[in-house]
Structures are given as structure tokens and as C-alpha cells.
Amino acid sequence: MDPISILVVLAVMLVAIVIPGFFISLLIIDGVSPAERFCLSLVLGTFPVYISYLLIKHGLMTMNITSVLMCMFLPVVVFVVTKMRFRIRGSKVFS
Amino acid sequence: MDLQISKDLAKKLDNPLLVLYLVVALVPFLYGLFDISAFYLSIFNFLIAGCCCYFAWKRKVFQRNILPILFVVSMGIFYYDLSVVGFQFWIYVFSVGLIGIALWESKIVDMEVGFLISIFLMSTVLHCIPAYITDYIEEIDPHYHYKWAEMIDETGTIPEYDWNTYPKTQGLDRSTMPFGTSVSIAFYGKLLNHFGMGFHQSALLISGLVAGLTVVVVYFLLKELFRGSENVKYIAMFGAVVLCFSVAWSMKAHATDCEDDAIGMFLLLSTALLYVLAINRDNIMISAVGGGLLFGWFSTVWDGQRMLTMVVAFFIVIYSIFGILKKFRTFIYMKHYLLIFIVGNILWRFVLKFPDQTFGVMMPQGIEIASLIIMVCAALVNEVYARWGFTLKRSRFYILLISLLVMLFVFQDYLYSIYEVGFLDVGRTSVVFKTIAEQSPFATDISSYVTKLVLMFGPASIIGLLSVPFMLYYGMVKRHYGSVLLASWLAPMAWGLYHKTQYAFVASVPFALASSWFVMFIISKRSHLESLRIIPTIVAVFIILTYSPFGSFFTAYNSSSIFYNVVGYDRMAWESALQYFRNDVPETTSVITWWDYGHWLTSVSKRFVIVDNLQRDHWQIQDVARFFMKETDEEKAFDIIREYQGYYSSEPYVSMFGGVNLDYVVIDWTMIPKSGALRFIATGNLTDQSDGEYVSYSMCSFSPQDSVIEDVMAVDDNGMFIQRKVLVFTCTYNTDGLGAVVVFVEGNNIRIDAVTMDGNRVPWDAWMASNGGVLFGVKSPIEIFGAVIQYADQIRRIPPTYTTLIYAPEGFKDLMMSRLYFGETVSMYRDLGLNDVGWNETKYFTKAKSFEEGFVVAWNIDHEGGVDGSD
């Protein structure tokens, strides 16, 4: 593969991991440094793949770009809904 | 509108050193556009290094700039001699590493962030270089996950059954197969569709990216394990660096290898991080939700969750005993892992088992439940002592002992699993597995173990291993659970590795983590300079240097080999054959060939095979081995074909596919050196696992340095002067003791001698008469002799079929392997007196196609036996 393609692939995959991972980490833990938050985003960021695996396995969806994006942004939606519904106070994104 | 930059940031950016470092970092990615000689770039780097030294001295920050200047100088050295193995790639690794270091030097980011940026980028680039070198998915096992990823990408669903393999058992049920890796590849592949790429690029690079992510996780894991330690950041950095440059870890954690190991290990470490975070914060949200989510997901990717549970069990048992002796409680460690375990086990069952079975099948496999029982018992015993004040009264002791014995009796089957896995299976293997290199022991004694550890894991591994007793002692005395956990992880992995090479990858992580333990005692303050702490500091610096690109100049460890974890010639030579089967052969075609090529044929060609690299059914593997390497009568060999065609011609293949036709035999050149393994399996006893016969073909390869290619004057038997060439073919080990074959080309005559291992020369016909062994070749003798004469000085560039004669011991000359692979040229060798076999063409098999000059050959199977062969 040429270097530009490698860079594009890595960037896309990294963004697809960090975005959901960031919001999942916000749901689970607070009071961490930016570096720790980034690490937790990586640690939890592949979880949307499990969600897609679960839904496809039970015939609730098939693997396509729409379902992939849905699984990827589901943690974002859950975080927003959780924050709005329970009005979490005092939780910090960064310490 | 002016860009609002704070004065502080503006002051930091106004730094000539930052500019110089970033320029040096960018140059490798741009210099290809300007056609500049690497020599001038080398000079450029050294000049920049000089400038940096000047600016650093002027600004009084020289100490802070030692590391980035060393990076710049190193890159200058790389440019200076690009012919050194790996230097052309180290330029890129060091250039991205320089980015984080430069940001730290300029105080834009702190040391931790600067280090993380550098190590993440370096690890990612280092382990993605294989994708730059080739577009092929690596070797064998990765194709299995690639196959399923492609299927998920094309159909959008998760496969439930594999019909393409093991026809005797009607394929394989895949409904409980953890497909997490394949799903991940397809998942990210869908996102890449919008950039003109897809699942293939995702498969190529996913493990390379994971390699970068893993070192970040390892850093924070070590930081949490050593929380409170004076040198915690240095400990974490050391461990991350050792893992990043670990050759053993890179065996799986590199681009083009889309197996489940790298992703699985990343998720295992992530789960371990959340476990440790939960302990340090005593937060059940982290363990139950975070850890549980990850454990559940992780179990659908890789089966390493059993290993994690076993390691945690060892840790809790040991630490609980320490707790009884030193009067501290260990309940918290069991509590958090139990939460992770329970939540995780529920989660993965929703994927690998249907919900109606979720609670009916709540028992994980033997070793997991055994580990769980042990850790719960250990923590409860510790808790009982804690509540009773840690006094060992006789009555309480007997109550506990009886309770433990009852539990041991009730759960004896599960507890036996630990003994079986740890002490029986680790050293025991089947007839089939004895032929697989990674199933064989890593070492035969302590000396070879240490030597191979250094070669594959680096010298840090020895430090880690030697630290185990000290870690346990320190953990007990200082109540440092991190030390005990690392020791509990490393000890069983080191034990398992000694007995089985397969554990090299899983052992690479605990070796790297444990090797950082001693960094607790290195210098961190000026006041330590004259203390004994200077010794571990020197050791740490030496180890870091060993793992660097320059380490191979003074040790046996060579981190440059990480770049070359790429596909071998075998896979590339098969490409034309795989495309032939994919495009020119009906979809319901099956191929009989060795298991090594099963995944390629099912994933790339999408055709049926008898066996593949899963080695799922040893009986079917033995049938294939018998076909090639045991039956000497074509009719008996064809009985095997008939048997398997019978399976394909019955249900469910008829209703699903309209029947499948076992129409091809394929032989690959590498089956010749592997013939000993096929023979071993074919003649072994699968009932009692007694060994088969380990005899193989011998490959006699042309040796230019021993040969005389230019004509020399010689005298023949009649006393006449002749021009003579001498071609020497040296043979691999064989039980007949043949060391070499010497071919004398004298004008139009060819005379051949055998040379024994002792150096005695015997005319070939005399050798054949006394030993019964014969010579074959994929190419005719004239083609081989002509090729080696013409291309003697570039022998490695021509296909091995043109440079190698095959020696068949007596029992091998009538095997189907010989009849098929050497059948086309057998008469030419017979005419030269090199063999005395009586067979010519086969009755049921006709050559269909040859690929890569005979490296791969396919034969049609004529089930009616239309070719009238003769013996």
C-alpha cells in the first residue's frame, strides 16, 4: 500500500475508535487527565463492533454503512440522553 | 480576524529547536519528491544536530535536548548507510517519534503526553511497515479471519456454518465461533468504502494500528500497577518501549496479519487496565460496567479470557496467602474481578449463544470455572482470617480445612482442568501436533531457553524472569499488589513457553511488563547518583540501547526484523494458482491438498478443500496424508478419493450445492521438505497417539561454491583429454546418508556419482543398487543442468524447481507424491540411470496446469479412470 492510503486508513480507523470510546468513557468514569481520557477512549472505543456483532447475530440488522455509523454513534446518543435525563452535575470531562 | 494565541503558547512556539526538529521529522516524507541523495540528507541531519546543540546550549536547556538530538543524529546515521537492514524504515519510525519529543522539549506538552504521542506513532509506523512492503495478507492463519470478514462484508450477516472443509464430518458448525476479529475488519472496512478502499485495507492494517494502541494501554496499565511509586512514569515508559520493540510481540502484532491475536491481546490488556483502575479507585462502575463490557466483547474476539482468569486466580491466591501472613485483606481484588467475570460472561453469551441458553449454560469451560473457584476460596479464606483477627486457632483452622476439602471434592473435575492444562497438556501433544513447529517445545534445556529468550524477547526478558522472586517478596513485604500480579502473570507464561513455542506471543506481554519492575530502583534524583541505584540505571540504559536499531551491532537481538514480518514466497507463488481456481474452475469444485493451503483455497479461490489449517479433524488429515505419502498403489490411493467423493455426492451437499466434485489434486513445492510431517501423520496411530515414521524426501540443491562451471581439462577413462564441468548438488539430511550428488558433464556425456556424508564417492548406479533410493525432479535433468550452468552466479534468482534434484528413499519412489509431482519427467531421469521405477503415467490423474515453473501443480481427477496408465 502507498503511504497516503496507509495514513487515510489509520486515520479513519482511529477516529472511528476514539469518538465512541470517548463518550463511553465519559459514561463510566470521570476525574481523569486528558491523557488518561484518550487512553480510555482507545480502550473502550472498539465496543461498537460488539454492538453490531450482537445486532447482526440476532438478525436485527445487516452490516452496512448505516448500521456501522449507528453503532458508532450510539454511545454518543446514550451519553447525551443520559446527561439530559439525569442532569449529571459535577461530572468532569477532564480533571 | 487575528488568531488568538496565548502569550505563553506563543513564547513556546518561538523556539528554533522546535522548528528544526519538526523539519527533520518532515523531511523523510518529502525528500522523495526532490530526488536528493541520502548522503546529503545524512550531512543535513548532522548539521541540524550541531545547530540544535548550539541553540540548546545558548538557551540553557541542553539536558532537555539530549534525547531529540540523539534522534536527529540517529536519523543521520540511517541516511548514511541505507543498505543496512532496516535503516530505510527506521528513518520513518524515528521521524514520527521526534514529533512528540519536540513538543515536550518546547514545553507545549508535558513529558507524559509527549512520550505517549511519540510511542504511539512509533509503534504504529513500526508495525505498519509490512503493509508498505506488500499488499498480501500474511501466510496461513490470517486468511481464515480474512475469509469470514469478506463473507460478512459481502452478505452483511454472520456466518453460521463452514461447508467448504472437512466433508467427512459435513463441514464445521461455526455458530459459536468468536468472529469478533472478522466483524471488526468488516466494520471498519465499511467506513473505508467511502475513501475508495474497503475490508481488504482494513484487514491489512488493523493489527498495525492495534500495535500502536496497545503500547498506550500498557503505559497506563503499568502506571496503575505501580501507583504511588517514585518512578512510576519511568516504569511505565520502560515497559511500553520494551513491548514496542519486542520481536516476539511483533510476530502477531503487525500489519498484514489479520489474525485475532493482536486485537485479542489489546482487549485483554484493556480489560486488565480497567480491573486495576477499579481496584485503585474501588469503583464498581468501572469493573462491572467498563470491565464487564470489555470482557464480554473480548471473549467474542479471542479465547484469551481463560488465560486472564487463570492469571488473576494465581495472583489472588498468592496475595491472599501473603495477606494472612502480613495481616491485610484481599477481598477487593476478588470482588472487582468477579464483577467483570459475571457481567462479561453474560454479555458474550448473547453473541455466541442464543438468549434461551444464556442461563442454562452459565458454566465457562473447565479452566475458567476452576480459576474462579480458586480465587473465590482464597479471598474468602483471607476474609475469614481478617474478621477473626488473623489468629490461627486450631478449631478455625480445621473448619476451614474441612470446608476446602469439601469444595475440592465437589468441584474436582474443574480443578483437574488446571492441572491438565498447566502440567499435562502443556507437555503433551498428538501425532498431528508433533509435526507443527509451534506445538514443539521452545527449548530443550535452560541454556537454550535463555539463548532463545534473548533472541526473541530481548535481554529485558531475562531481567523480568530473574525479578519474579523479588517481585513476590516485595509484594508481600510492601503490600504491593502490582508486583505480585506481574509475577503471577509471568511465571506460568514462562513455564508454558518453555514447553510450547506457540505461547511466544502471549508470553511477550508479561515479559515486557515484568521487565520494567526493576526500574522502580533507578536514579530519579541527583542525590541518588552515588548510591547503588546507579546499577539498575545502567542496566535500564543498556536494555533500551539493545532494543534500538543499533542493538544488533553488539547483541544477538535485532529489532529490525520487525519490519520483515511479511508474506513469504510460498503465498505469492500460489497467487496465480488461487486465481485459476477462483476464475477458471466451477464453484462446486473441491481440491485435495495439504492443510497449509486450505485457508488460501477457501478464502481467495472460494473453493472446497478436504482439510485446512484449523486441523479440526485429525482423521481426515491422516486420510490426506495417506493419499500423498503412504499408498504406493494408485488404486488404493484412489480409494481415498472415491470415499470423499462419496461424501460430496450425498446429503447435504446435493441439496445445498447440487453436489460437489473432488476434481483436483494440488501439490506445492514446499510439500517436499514437509513430506516428513505428512509421512509421520500417515503412518502414525491416532487412537493411542503413537508416533509414525519420520522419513522424508531429501532436497539436493545446486551448490555454486562447490561446483566447477567453466570447462576444465580432464582425462577420461580411455586416457583422452576431455572438457569437463562438475555440478555439485548438496542434499538435506536423509536416513540413507546421501550427502551430495555430483554430476560430471563431459562433452555430450553425463556421469553421476553419489557422495556419502563421510565424503566417500560411489557411482550412482551402485548407490541405487545398494540403497534403493532414486532421483527425481520437477524439471527434467537437462533443464536443471542447463539452468544451473547458465545462472550459477545468480542461483537464488531462479525458481528452485530448476536448481534442485529430489532424492527419494526406497519406500518413497512409488508414493502418489512421486507419481504425480515427478511423473512428467520420470522417464528422462530413468533414461539417465537416475531411477529405476516402473511406473509412467497415472490412471486417474492428468496434469491440468503448472504455476510458477512447477512450484505449484494441479492435476485433474478422472473418476472414471480414462487414462490407461501402467505400472
Side-chain angles (χ1 to χ4, degrees):
Chain A
M1 287 178 73
D2 62 278
I4 302 295
S5 296
I6 291 175
L7 200 61
V8 169
V9 172
L10 292 176
V12 168
M13 290 167 79
L14 193 59
V15 167
I17 289 171
V18 171
I19 289 177
F22 179 72
F23 288 95
I24 296 174
S25 73
L26 288 178
L27 287 167
I28 293 169
I29 184 172
D30 54 15
V32 294
S33 68
E36 287 169 336
R37 181 66 64 193
F38 176 69
C39 175
L40 288 169
S41 303
L42 302 178
V43 159
L44 294 161
T46 57
F47 189 72
V49 183
Y50 169 83
I51 298 172
S52 73
Y53 193 173
L54 177 69
L55 296 175
I56 295 171
K57 181 78 172 182
H58 293 282
L60 297 173
M61 69 178 205
T62 57
M63 176 77 77
N64 53 56
I65 187 62
T66 308
S67 62
V68 164
L69 288 172
M70 186 187 82
C71 292
M72 223 177 94
F73 288 100
L74 184 63
V76 181
V77 170
V78 170
F79 174 77
V80 170
V81 167
T82 308
K83 205 142 168 65
M84 281 169 50
R85 187 167 179 178
F86 294 104
R87 296 182 188 171
I88 295 172
R89 288 185 186 147
S91 86
K92 297 177 183 176
V93 172
F94 304 116
S95 62
Chain B
M1 185 175 73
D2 291 332
L3 189 64
Q4 300 283 336
I5 301 177
S6 70
K7 284 184 183 173
D8 186 47
L9 183 59
K11 188 179 170 189
K12 288 175 183 174
L13 289 174
D14 183 25
N15 180 354
L17 288 161
L18 177 64
V19 174
L20 290 172
Y21 292 141
L22 291 180
V23 164
V24 168
L26 274 175
V27 161
F29 299 98
L30 299 174
Y31 89 94
L33 300 171
F34 302 104
D35 194 25
I36 301 173
S37 161
F39 175 76
Y40 294 119
L41 287 170
S42 175
I43 302 296
F44 171 74
N45 268 50
F46 293 137
L47 287 173
I48 294 288
C51 292
C52 291
C53 286
Y54 170 73
F55 284 121
W57 173 73
K58 279 283 276 186
R59 294 165 70 93
K60 297 186 173 71
V61 288
F62 189 80
Q63 194 172 1
R64 199 176 175 88
N65 279 270
I66 291 175
L67 185 60
I69 291 173
L70 280 176
F71 265 57
V72 174
V73 169
S74 298
M75 289 172 69
I77 296 172
F78 300 150
Y79 282 121
Y80 185 74
D81 192 356
L82 289 176
S83 66
V84 175
V85 171
F87 273 17
Q88 65 188 112
F89 300 125
W90 281 116
I91 293 170
Y92 297 99
V93 176
F94 272 52
S95 70
V96 296
L98 197 51
I99 295 171
I101 296 171
L103 293 174
W104 163 70
E105 186 281 326
S106 314
K107 299 181 184 174
I108 295 172
V109 298
D110 63 23
M111 182 168 67
E112 178 171 81
V113 175
F115 171 79
L116 286 171
I117 292 172
S118 288
I119 200 67
F120 168 69
L121 291 175
M122 289 178 83
S123 183
T124 305
V125 170
L126 175 65
H127 295 96
C128 282
I129 291 293
Y132 174 71
I133 296 174
T134 177
D135 274 358
Y136 283 95
I137 296 295
E138 198 202 11
E139 290 314 314
I140 300 171
D141 287 345
H143 281 80
Y144 181 75
H145 300 275
Y146 183 86
K147 168 173 84 174
W148 298 118
E150 186 175 14
M151 207 175 291
I152 295 168
D153 181 76
E154 285 176 358
T155 65
T157 59
I158 308 293
E160 297 283 324
Y161 209 90
D162 184 357
W163 294 104
N164 285 32
T165 58
Y166 303 100
K168 188 185 259 188
T169 44
Q170 297 173 354
L172 296 174
D173 178 7
R174 304 282 80 186
S175 61
T176 58
M177 167 82 192
F179 279 122
T181 301
S182 303
V183 175
S184 301
I185 293 169
F187 185 95
Y188 296 114
K190 287 295 179 196
L191 294 171
L192 293 171
N193 284 158
H194 289 267
F195 298 89
M197 291 179 276
F199 82 94
H200 179 72
Q201 287 73 24
S202 172
L204 279 175
L205 284 166
I206 194 164
S207 292
L209 175 64
V210 161
L213 305 182
T214 303
V215 292
V216 173
V217 173
V218 159
Y219 173 86
F220 283 102
L221 177 61
L222 283 169
K223 215 179 146 193
E224 289 297 321
L225 282 171
F226 290 92
R227 195 181 182 98
S229 170
E230 182 190 340
N231 285 327
V232 64
K233 281 189 182 153
Y234 299 123
I235 298 169
M237 286 179 189
F238 186 88
V241 168
V242 167
L243 186 66
C244 177
F245 297 105
S246 166
V247 168
W249 183 58
S250 74
M251 285 167 54
K252 301 287 187 179
H254 64 268
T256 74
D257 185 331
C258 58
E259 256 188 289
D260 51 359
D261 301 84
I263 301 174
M265 182 58 80
F266 165 67
L267 292 175
L268 183 150
L269 287 166
S270 301
T271 308
L273 172 61
L274 287 180
Y275 171 56
V276 173
L277 267 175
I279 290 170
N280 288 345
R281 292 164 183 247
D282 197 10
N283 185 330
I284 61 170
M285 185 74 169
I286 297 175
S287 52
V289 180
L293 288 181
L294 260 188
F295 189 97
W297 162 221
F298 160 42
S299 303
T300 68
V301 173
W302 200 39
D303 56 1
Q305 77 276 14
R306 296 187 197 109
M307 175 178 65
L308 178 64
T309 304
M310 187 184 69
V311 166
V312 172
F314 285 163
F315 154 63
I316 290 176
V317 166
I318 295 171
Y319 208 48
S320 295
I321 293 171
F322 289 170
I324 291 171
L325 296 173
K326 291 292 181 179
K327 299 180 175 51
F328 58 84
R329 296 170 69 183
T330 57
F331 185 76
I332 186 175
Y333 307 101
M334 186 271 290
K335 172 181 82 176
H336 287 295
Y337 194 78
L338 200 58
L339 285 168
I340 290 173
F341 187 86
I342 290 172
V343 173
N345 267 275
I346 292 173
L347 272 182
W348 71 251
R349 275 173 172 72
F350 280 110
V351 174
L352 300 183
K353 295 239 186 257
F354 291 105
D356 63 334
Q357 294 173 297
T358 301
F359 298 103
V361 199
M362 268 299 288
M363 306 296 269
Q365 292 196 9
I367 189 131
E368 266 188 293
I369 196 71
S371 301
L372 196 69
I373 291 165
I374 287 173
M375 78 169 75
V376 168
C377 286
L380 285 178
V381 168
N382 174 279
E383 191 65 15
V384 163
Y385 270 90
R387 289 183 184 278
W388 286 341
F390 290 104
T391 53
L392 193 65
K393 284 194 177 169
R394 188 169 293 189
S395 56
R396 291 169 192 165
F397 172 76
Y398 284 128
I399 291 170
L400 278 172
L401 183 62
I402 291 168
S403 307
L404 278 172
L405 287 173
V406 168
M407 275 202 224
L408 278 171
F409 178 75
V410 170
F411 295 108
Q412 59 181 299
D413 287 344
Y414 296 111
L415 294 172
Y416 182 74
S417 303
I418 291 213
Y419 171 67
E420 195 174 23
V421 168
F423 296 94
L424 295 182
D425 288 353
V426 77
R428 179 178 65 192
T429 189
S430 65
V431 167
V432 170
F433 286 163
K434 280 178 187 170
T435 65
I436 301 171
E438 65 174 18
Q439 298 293 331
S440 57
F442 181 72
T444 50
D445 51 40
I446 298 295
S447 170
S448 62
Y449 186 60
V450 169
T451 306
K452 293 179 89 170
L453 268 186
V454 172
L455 274 175
M456 282 185 70
F457 298 79
S461 60
I462 305 298
I463 304 288
L465 204 54
L466 292 173
S467 301
V468 167
F470 300 102
M471 283 193 260
L472 291 171
Y473 177 76
Y474 186 86
M476 181 177 70
V477 168
K478 298 287 186 182
R479 294 193 193 180
H480 191 258
Y481 83 90
S483 300
V484 180
L485 180 55
L486 288 180
S488 306
W489 196 343
L490 177 58
M493 291 300 117
W495 165 263
L497 172 67
Y498 184 91
H499 291 92
K500 205 174 272 195
T501 311
Q502 187 182 27
Y503 296 137
F505 173 73
V506 295
S508 64
V509 169
F511 269 115
L513 296 177
S515 69
S516 64
W517 180 82
F518 81 101
V519 177
M520 270 197 292
F521 307 104
I522 64 165
I523 290 171
S524 58
K525 299 178 186 148
R526 285 184 189 277
S527 59
H528 294 150
L529 269 174
E530 291 180 10
S531 70
L532 284 176
R533 294 174 77 149
I534 194 85
I535 299 173
T537 306
I538 292 172
V539 171
V541 172
F542 171 77
I543 288 175
I544 296 292
L545 282 175
T546 309
Y547 283 81
S548 76
F550 308 106
S552 59
F553 292 112
F554 56 90
T555 68
Y557 186 75
N558 187 357
S559 54
S560 296
S561 62
I562 294 172
F563 298 126
Y564 301 102
N565 283 311
V566 293
V567 64
Y569 175 72
D570 198 5
R571 170 61 185 90
M572 291 192 285
W574 264 78
E575 183 62 20
S576 50
L578 294 173
Q579 293 304 324
Y580 167 76
F581 281 105
R582 184 185 179 116
N583 300 322
D584 300 336
V585 159
E587 285 183 7
T588 54
T589 297
S590 181
V591 176
I592 179 168
T593 185
W594 196 229
W595 81 47
D596 287 6
Y597 321 112
H599 286 336
W600 297 347
L601 283 160
T602 54
S603 67
V604 180
S605 306
K606 301 186 197 304
R607 297 293 178 264
F608 293 77
V609 293
I610 308 288
V611 292
D612 66 10
N613 209 43
L614 278 181
Q615 300 131 25
R616 189 49 55 100
D617 185 331
H618 292 187
W619 297 97
Q620 295 183 61
I621 289 172
Q622 189 177 56
D623 287 341
V624 173
R626 283 196 300 113
F627 172 78
F628 285 111
M629 292 298 297
K630 189 177 180 192
E631 303 301 343
T632 54
D633 180 89
E634 189 182 348
E635 285 294 336
K636 284 194 177 157
F638 195 73
D639 284 343
I640 298 173
I641 302 291
R642 280 198 196 93
E643 180 190 353
Y644 279 85
Q645 182 59 59
Y647 300 130
Y648 282 132
S649 300
S650 51
E651 295 299 338
Y653 294 98
V654 171
S655 52
M656 289 195 69
F657 306 103
V660 174
N661 301 309
L662 179 52
D663 279 348
Y664 286 89
V665 179
V666 176
I667 294 177
D668 159 274
W669 175 259
T670 61
M671 283 171 69
I672 301 295
K674 290 172 195 169
S675 57
L678 277 79
R679 180 72 173 178
F680 185 85
I681 294 170
T683 54
N685 187 322
L686 295 186
T687 305
D688 61 13
Q689 299 300 335
S690 54
D691 290 357
E693 184 186 69
Y694 207 96
V695 182
S696 65
Y697 290 99
S698 178
M699 303 178 85
C700 302
S701 305
F702 180 67
S703 174
Q705 60 269 27
D706 298 315
S707 305
V708 179
I709 305 301
E710 300 298 327
D711 281 326
V712 292
M713 267 311 201
V715 177
D716 69 5
D717 295 338
N718 299 321
M720 303 294 290
F721 285 112
I722 53 170
Q723 299 283 354
R724 176 188 287 167
K725 292 181 173 56
V726 182
L727 311 176
V728 177
F729 295 80
T730 52
C731 303
T732 55
Y733 172 78
N734 55 84
T735 50
D736 291 347
L738 178 67
V741 174
V742 182
V743 178
F744 299 95
V745 181
E746 299 162 344
N748 290 327
N749 295 322
I750 293 178
R751 180 166 61 86
I752 296 165
D753 283 352
V755 179
T756 68
M757 297 294 289
D758 302 327
N760 296 320
R761 188 172 289 186
V762 177
W764 183 257
D765 50 359
W767 172 272
M768 219 163 54
S770 66
N771 289 282
V774 298
L775 281 176
F776 293 120
V778 175
K779 295 295 180 184
S780 71
I782 300 304
E783 283 179 299
I784 291 178
F785 301 154
V788 300
I789 290 171
Q790 188 172 355
Y791 299 104
D793 57 346
Q794 41 184 331
I795 207 71
R796 288 186 184 279
R797 290 175 182 266
I798 64 175
T801 49
Y802 281 103
T803 64
T804 313
L805 300 169
I806 307 298
Y807 177 71
E810 175 153 28
F812 280 33
K813 52 189 181 185
D814 296 325
L815 296 173
M816 285 309 296
M817 176 79 91
S818 301
R819 290 171 184 260
L820 292 170
Y821 208 21
F822 314 125
E824 198 173 45
T825 59
V826 69
S827 58
M828 295 176 230
Y829 282 82
R830 190 165 48 227
D831 292 343
L832 277 180
L834 295 174
N835 70 54
D836 58 1
V837 300
W839 46 264
N840 289 308
E841 293 167 338
T842 50
K843 181 179 173 186
Y844 296 100
F845 308 93
T846 50
K847 187 174 173 182
K849 209 164 163 66
S850 172
F851 306 91
E852 304 303 319
E853 300 294 347
F855 196 92
V856 181
V857 184
W859 288 265
N860 272 119
I861 300 175
D862 181 353
H863 293 268
E864 303 303 320
V867 177
D868 186 16
S870 60
D871 268 351

